[in-house]
Amino acid sequence: MLASTKVMTLVSYWAVISARFRSLLQYRSAALAGLVTQIVWGIIRVMIFQAFYSSTTTEQPMSGREVETYIWLGQAFLAALPWNIDTDLRSLIRSGGIGYELVRPVDLHTYWMSRALAWRTAPMLMRSIPLLVFAFMVMGMAPPATVAAGAAFMISMCAAIVLSSAITTFLNVTMLWTIAGDGITQLTFGLVLIFSGMLVPLPLFPDWSQPLINAMPFRGLVDTPYRLYLGHIPASDLPQHLAHQLFWILAFVVAGRIALSRALRRVVVQGG
Amino acid sequence: MPQIIVENLVKHFRVSQRDTGVLGALRGLAHRRYETVKALDGVTFEIGPGELLGYVGPNGAGKSTTVKVMSGILVPDYGRCEILGLVPWKDRSRHVRHLGVVFGQRTQLWWDLPVIESFDLLRDIYRVPRHEYVKNLDEFVAVMDIESCLDTPVRQLSLGQRMRCDLAGALLHSPKLLFLDEPTIGMDAVSKVAFRQFIKRFNRERETTVILTTHDMNDIEAICDRLMIINSGKLLYDGGLDALRQQMSFERSLVVEMTDAGSPQVHPAAQLAMMNGRRVHIRFDPKQISAAALISDFTAHNDVDDLFVEDPPIEEIIARFYEGNDVG
């Protein structure tokens, strides 16, 4: 009985993910524009690093070709980063339509995280597949180092998307306080950009900063899966890195749940 | 056994105030002033199963606040609220399973998706058994005439179509309670009439308890058995529409179609209000002269083709009710 209730509950959340996913797939022109932008940015970033590598004489922690592949992975999966809040939720909160979210017989945090999962995957999938094809065919992006590296990358990438969704959900919850949500989003975006490895691959950061970067949650979004792909982190080290990702997923979920239950006690539904 | 028990409900909001102009804005940065708005100031009522209740009041009277508390969206500062034995904001998830809501001006359907996909999603969220879902959907589609809307994205529907779909969506899980918050706002006359009929029908056939907040007194007049009036967070009236009429309407009108134009002879207890060709409006207070007595007196002294007695419009009664209570 309990098990079947659980299954039914999962059906509810799966339905939310799939509906959100389908409605996001309608934004095809945004995806196309994003694709072009990300290719151009990718080329620029690759050129910057090529210039840097051709002028350096010291041994770097990553090879030039590794960095290029790292960059193309980043461009392909950019949309999976927790870089913005769910605009639909924002308009619901501003208009008072949030009332409908609160009269559903579901756990609100899980419900919103389901939305976030779709919000992080649908635009990412639309952009990443053509972008990866382009990067392989034209830009000489490298395949995964080994089969094991590829598998480890896939697992870690899934965890990265869940982590991103947990952070996004946390950001969405903060909107119940701030209504706009712009400030905290920009702050988070800055942190994510720098400390995930999106701007500069994390191994290239100074040695003294490595312990700090390692402790922070953001490397689980970009650096961990990409280095597994490159074999820069051996596939056999997957468990400890996955544990880091899972720890931060849990942390953001717990924080999001606490923030949400506090917010609901004081929420004023706009209008009326 | 009442389904809904609300006792001495109190909810205050703190609203931040700002002085006008640049200086005011700057002052607001340093020191914020708050004003307390008493949205609910001790509201008490009970609602039995299957009632169809109209809930009216001017803007900001506390209607929507009451509905939000009953939906589990808002936590009151004080007071008791029990619905089907559950406290809405404490047992939110269990409570809302029996609840359908329609907030006018907002939709619960997914903007970018065809209506049917929103319905399927609601089915999964409420875990409606498949046979019940199919049965409900078939009935709603037939009764509300929304067959053609099902494959259309919500953003492309007209308001009347959208509200019908919204109502259908709110009823898919066969809720025991239906809260409608200003559902007819902005609808054209035909859509309104149809919408009211659906509500009445579901209320009767399924014994769904319906609470309808509205500004449109015709909504109330057309379908509600019971009326609650709220103003400034206080319940001013709770009872039947006819009882309110009797309590409030001092004056009724006798409208007569005379055989010939000319000054009619009117009973001294009544007064001639308006003459328009052969049509004459006579105003009278039922406490001084009954409609029957006035009619027999009038037809004895004048030649009459046709006549009928008119009640003052419900808007007027309610407006007078607000005024009376503001002064009192």
Side-chain angles (χ1 to χ4, degrees):
Chain A
M1 179 61 208
L2 191 70
S4 79
T5 321
K6 280 257 165 63
V7 170
M8 284 306 284
T9 312
L10 284 179
V11 168
S12 302
Y13 298 119
W14 178 250
V16 173
I17 297 177
S18 126
R20 188 84 184 104
F21 195 88
R22 273 171 290 145
S23 72
L24 285 167
L25 287 184
Q26 300 201 339
Y27 297 96
R28 291 192 197 92
S29 51
L32 187 66
L35 178 66
V36 173
T37 316
Q38 277 152 236
I39 287 176
V40 172
W41 271 107
I43 293 172
I44 294 172
R45 289 181 61 206
V46 165
M47 279 163 29
I48 292 171
F49 278 98
Q50 278 172 346
F52 167 70
Y53 269 85
S54 65
S55 65
T56 185
T57 49
T58 49
E59 175 89 5
Q60 293 299 324
M62 280 178 108
S63 75
R65 189 163 150 80
E66 278 177 337
V67 169
E68 278 176 39
T69 299
Y70 191 109
I71 286 172
W72 285 116
L73 284 168
Q75 294 307 113
F77 299 115
L78 181 71
L81 291 180
W83 59 279
N84 63 359
I85 43 182
D86 190 331
T87 45
D88 271 18
L89 268 184
R90 178 160 68 181
S91 58
L92 282 180
I93 286 169
R94 284 187 176 169
S95 70
I98 187 77
Y100 280 124
E101 304 279 294
L102 299 174
V103 296
R104 302 289 178 227
V106 289
D107 176 76
L108 196 60
H109 187 273
T110 316
Y111 179 44
W112 280 13
M113 191 148 154
S114 307
R115 290 181 70 113
L117 265 174
W119 174 248
R120 293 281 76 112
T121 44
M124 179 270 280
L125 282 178
M126 279 194 290
R127 291 164 174 79
S128 65
I129 294 167
L131 199 143
L132 286 174
V133 169
F134 175 84
F136 275 119
M137 311 283 274
V138 183
M139 303 306 296
M141 178 182 164
T146 59
V147 175
F153 161 75
M154 297 282 251
I155 294 167
S156 180
M157 195 61 214
C158 290
I161 289 166
V162 178
L163 175 60
S164 177
S165 305
I167 297 175
T168 305
T169 308
F170 182 76
L171 294 179
N172 287 338
V173 170
T174 64
M175 266 193 297
L176 289 171
W177 270 283
T178 60
I179 298 187
D182 297 322
I184 190 145
T185 308
Q186 279 166 19
L187 181 71
T188 310
F189 180 52
L191 289 172
V192 167
L193 204 61
I194 296 166
F195 295 109
S196 68
M198 196 61 217
L199 206 60
V200 174
L202 294 185
L204 302 183
F205 275 60
D207 288 339
W208 60 263
S209 66
Q210 292 296 338
L212 182 68
I213 290 170
N214 275 333
M216 284 201 285
F218 307 108
R219 74 175 166 94
L221 296 166
V222 169
D223 190 69
T224 306
Y226 299 1
R227 277 164 67 199
L228 281 163
Y229 178 100
L230 295 171
H232 200 265
I233 297 174
S236 55
D237 282 357
L238 175 67
Q240 72 198 65
H241 290 278
L242 200 57
H244 178 269
Q245 288 175 308
L246 293 178
F247 169 81
W248 279 109
I249 290 169
L250 198 68
F252 275 104
V253 167
V254 169
R257 297 190 76 90
I258 292 171
L260 184 60
S261 78
R262 295 190 67 128
L264 289 184
R265 248 175 274 147
R266 58 173 289 281
V267 72
V268 176
V269 176
Q270 309 281 318
Chain B
M1 177 66 192
Q3 221 173 18
I4 301 179
I5 303 169
V6 167
E7 229 175 71
N8 197 20
L9 219 52
V10 175
K11 177 78 191 176
H12 294 179
F13 291 116
R14 283 208 316 161
V15 180
S16 64
Q17 302 280 305
R18 213 194 74 183
D19 298 328
T20 47
V22 177
L23 264 178
L26 288 176
R27 212 174 294 142
L29 286 177
H31 175 73
R32 253 198 217 162
R33 286 187 297 121
Y34 289 97
E35 192 178 305
T36 304
V37 177
K38 293 178 179 175
L40 293 177
D41 197 12
V43 171
T44 301
F45 58 84
E46 284 184 356
I47 299 172
E51 281 198 67
L52 207 174
L53 179 125
Y55 195 28
V56 301
N59 287 323
K63 294 187 302 288
S64 294
T65 306
T66 317
V67 171
K68 281 168 191 162
V69 168
M70 289 194 296
S71 311
I73 298 175
L74 274 182
V75 184
D77 298 336
Y78 185 79
R80 172 171 168 232
C81 176
E82 249 174 57
I83 298 177
L84 295 163
L86 298 174
V87 178
W89 59 93
K90 285 190 181 144
D91 280 306
R92 191 183 66 83
S93 188
R94 275 209 293 162
H95 163 63
V96 295
R97 200 170 288 283
H98 306 295
L99 177 67
V101 291
V102 175
F103 300 122
Q105 309 175 54
R106 287 153 202 158
T107 182
Q108 58 189 318
L109 308 171
W110 289 39
W111 201 242
D112 293 318
L113 294 180
V115 173
I116 188 69
E117 294 199 22
S118 284
F119 285 175
D120 288 348
L121 182 66
L122 288 169
R123 173 197 66 203
D124 292 336
I125 286 179
Y126 285 94
R127 292 165 227 161
V128 186
R130 188 160 288 273
H131 60 92
E132 185 184 333
Y133 174 73
V134 171
K135 187 175 144 283
N136 278 345
L137 188 61
D138 285 350
E139 184 189 337
F140 300 159
V141 164
V143 174
M144 297 200 231
D145 189 26
I146 50 175
E147 175 85 63
S148 60
C149 308
L150 289 181
D151 296 320
T152 313
V154 175
R155 55 164 191 262
Q156 288 170 12
L157 296 178
S158 75
L159 180 67
Q161 289 174 322
R162 205 198 77 203
M163 289 311 295
R164 272 180 283 159
C165 293
D166 250 309
L167 181 64
L171 291 166
L172 281 172
H173 58 291
S174 314
K176 295 189 178 113
L177 302 158
L178 177 62
F179 295 166
L180 305 167
D181 197 3
E182 297 178 22
T184 54
I185 217 159
M187 272 192 211
D188 63 57
V190 178
S191 300
K192 270 187 190 175
V193 170
F195 197 79
R196 285 175 198 139
Q197 281 168 353
F198 304 138
I199 295 169
K200 184 85 189 167
R201 181 188 168 124
F202 291 123
N203 168 254
R204 252 197 334 242
E205 287 180 0
R206 305 189 167 214
E207 291 178 349
T208 311
T209 308
V210 180
I211 299 180
L212 168 69
T213 78
T214 184
H215 286 296
D216 186 341
M217 297 309 157
N218 297 319
D219 288 348
I220 306 282
E221 203 156 18
I223 58 173
C224 295
D225 318 315
R226 178 179 160 193
L227 173 69
M228 293 201 304
I229 304 178
I230 189 171
N231 198 2
S232 311
K234 288 198 168 81
L235 213 54
L236 302 182
Y237 180 83
D238 183 355
L241 197 55
D242 292 337
L244 177 73
R245 268 223 180 80
Q246 273 164 19
Q247 186 186 332
M248 289 308 298
S249 70
F250 312 109
E251 287 178 341
R252 304 173 81 187
S253 288
L254 178 66
V255 183
V256 188
E257 197 77 33
M258 310 273 294
T259 313
D260 306 299
S263 279
Q265 200 184 328
V266 182
H267 191 278
Q271 49 173 308
L272 186 64
M274 198 171 73
M275 262 174 63
N276 186 5
R278 295 193 297 127
R279 177 164 281 218
V280 176
H281 293 250
I282 297 157
R283 208 180 287 153
F284 67 101
D285 181 348
K287 284 179 193 130
Q288 286 180 30
I289 182 167
S290 74
L294 181 65
I295 291 169
S296 64
D297 174 81
F298 194 86
T299 46
H301 294 96
N302 305 282
D303 290 331
V304 172
D305 273 358
D306 191 15
L307 55 77
F308 59 93
V309 178
E310 212 177 46
D311 285 322
I314 182 84
E315 268 100 345
E316 216 168 278
I317 298 177
I318 302 228
R320 228 182 284 165
F321 199 88
Y322 297 154
E323 284 165 21
N325 280 277
D326 274 351
V327 176

